[in-house]
Amino acid sequence: MVRSYGPLLVGTVINVLLYGITITQIYLYHNSSNCDRIWIRGFVYLLFVGDTVHTLFTLLYVYDTLIYHFGDVNYLKTADWVFATSPALTGILGGLVQAFFAWRVKILTASKIITISILLCAASSFLMGIATAVVVGIVPQFDEFRTPKLQVTVILWLGCSSLANILITGTLVFYLKNHRTGFVRTNTYIDHLIRLTVQTGLITAIWAFVSLMLFLLSPTGLYLLFNTPLSKLYTNSLMSSLNARKFWWYDNKGDDALAIPSQNTIFELSRLENHSTQNTKVFVHVESHQMKDLPEMDHGACSKATGDTITSFHTPYFNPKIQSAAS
């Protein structure tokens, strides 16, 4: 099992690189999150703290085994509590991110069945990640990791994680595709949203599934290359979705015109459909030779209409149900 430390070392390098991306994402979010609710900002910073702890423990384990105990074969055959923190933190962070996306799906679709299904998968991933750490503490020998007890736990952990990501991605893509309009620019925004959803959701789902398959089929420990940085993929998938809100409004010439949330446009459409009686200021930009110049707006301007993070920016958009500006 000593040869497993090669994949572990490579996975640790990828983990640290992704942690650097996480720091950048947190910095961007910190500079543009004034409109978000306090609990959203607290949730993001909590994920960052968890990712930081995970990175430190991973580096500590690699240093302890490959440098401090270099050449000690007997020591390398046994996992310790530091190694066990990796599946625990990965399960916790993954479950939290998936629960956040379940909340977004609930606001978009208002489907209780899909939301509950995602939450059940997220809760299973959360708990089974912790359970995997407990089993590693009970059976610390790497040669015994392929026992049925640990295999069942890992299958539930990574299997539920992959299923939750697939449900989230499939639901969002299906909803967005069915809310395409006859307006070119609106459809362009929706296409951007679909690409972002697929890129972040499917990559994480495939990564977790590959890690599971390698754990079950390969005795070389190659799964550690994929499992070690998995928590960073969860965090970055969420952060990329939040940060994209600031950079997704481009005019026809490609210049940065206005800030637009990555999913706020569609969330706002859903909110208007469900709460049509609310007094919400709407900017309508019709592309049938009825062009209307939009006033210059601050990229950090918060919406006074709802106070909800999902509609935290003034967002011009096209709503097929609205034919004229309303206020």
Side-chain angles (χ1 to χ4, degrees), residues 9 24 38 98 105 116 129-130 150 207 241 321 323:
L9 179 61
T24 303
I38 294 178
Q98 290 163 353
V105 169
I116 292 175
I130 298 175
L150 184 58
W207 197 274
S241 176
K321 294 187 176 181
Q323 302 298 326

Side-chain angles (χ1 to χ4, degrees), residues 103-161:
W103 171 66
R104 281 189 157 187
V105 169
K106 174 61 171 62
I107 293 176
L108 263 179
T109 66
S111 174
K112 294 182 179 180
I113 296 177
I114 297 177
T115 303
I116 292 175
S117 298
I118 295 173
L119 287 175
L120 287 176
C121 291
S124 298
S125 175
F126 184 102
L127 296 175
M128 289 300 104
I130 298 175
T132 299
V134 173
V135 175
V136 168
I138 298 174
V139 186
Q141 290 75 25
F142 284 113
D143 292 336
E144 299 181 10
F145 273 16
R146 300 178 66 82
T147 58
K149 180 185 297 186
L150 184 58
Q151 285 186 337
V152 171
T153 306
V154 173
I155 289 173
L156 291 174
W157 166 32
L158 296 178
C160 290
S161 177

Side-chain angles (χ1 to χ4, degrees), residues 175-193:
Y175 185 87
L176 293 172
K177 278 187 173 293
N178 283 288
H179 281 74
R180 295 175 64 87
T181 69
F183 298 102
V184 175
R185 183 174 290 185
T186 304
N187 289 342
T188 300
Y189 297 149
I190 292 177
D191 291 337
H192 286 326
L193 300 181

Side-chain angles (χ1 to χ4, degrees), residues 21-144:
I21 297 176
T22 301
I23 293 176
T24 303
Q25 297 267 30
I26 293 294
Y27 174 77
L28 294 174
Y29 177 79
H30 179 75
N31 290 334
S32 60
S33 63
N34 294 332
C35 298
D36 283 354
R37 290 180 176 181
I38 294 178
W39 75 266
I40 297 288
R41 284 178 282 172
F43 179 78
V44 168
Y45 297 137
L46 175 64
L47 292 179
F48 178 65
V49 171
D51 257 352
T52 302
V53 173
H54 178 269
T55 303
L56 291 176
F57 277 135
T58 303
L59 290 173
L60 176 62
Y61 183 76
V62 170
Y63 180 87
D64 182 55
T65 53
L66 300 184
I67 297 178
Y68 190 75
H69 288 92
F70 177 78
D72 188 349
V73 178
N74 291 329
Y75 185 85
L76 297 179
K77 291 181 178 180
T78 305
D80 58 11
W81 69 270
V82 179
F83 179 86
T85 59
S86 181
L89 288 172
T90 300
I92 291 172
L93 294 173
L96 291 175
V97 170
Q98 290 163 353
F100 183 87
F101 279 115
W103 171 66
R104 281 189 157 187
V105 169
K106 174 61 171 62
I107 293 176
L108 263 179
T109 66
S111 174
K112 294 182 179 180
I113 296 177
I114 297 177
T115 303
I116 292 175
S117 298
I118 295 173
L119 287 175
L120 287 176
C121 291
S124 298
S125 175
F126 184 102
L127 296 175
M128 289 300 104
I130 298 175
T132 299
V134 173
V135 175
V136 168
I138 298 174
V139 186
Q141 290 75 25
F142 284 113
D143 292 336
E144 299 181 10

Side-chain angles (χ1 to χ4, degrees), residues 104-105 107-109 171-181 185-194 197 248 260-274 310-311 315-320:
R104 281 189 157 187
V105 169
I107 293 176
L108 263 179
T109 66
T171 301
L172 293 178
V173 170
F174 178 80
Y175 185 87
L176 293 172
K177 278 187 173 293
N178 283 288
H179 281 74
R180 295 175 64 87
T181 69
R185 183 174 290 185
T186 304
N187 289 342
T188 300
Y189 297 149
I190 292 177
D191 291 337
H192 286 326
L193 300 181
I194 291 174
T197 301
W248 272 37
I260 183 171
S262 65
Q263 296 183 8
N264 287 12
T265 303
I266 308 302
F267 287 157
E268 184 71 9
L269 290 174
S270 177
R271 179 176 292 278
L272 284 172
E273 291 172 0
N274 295 330
I310 292 176
T311 55
T315 306
Y317 62 87
F318 306 103
N319 190 333

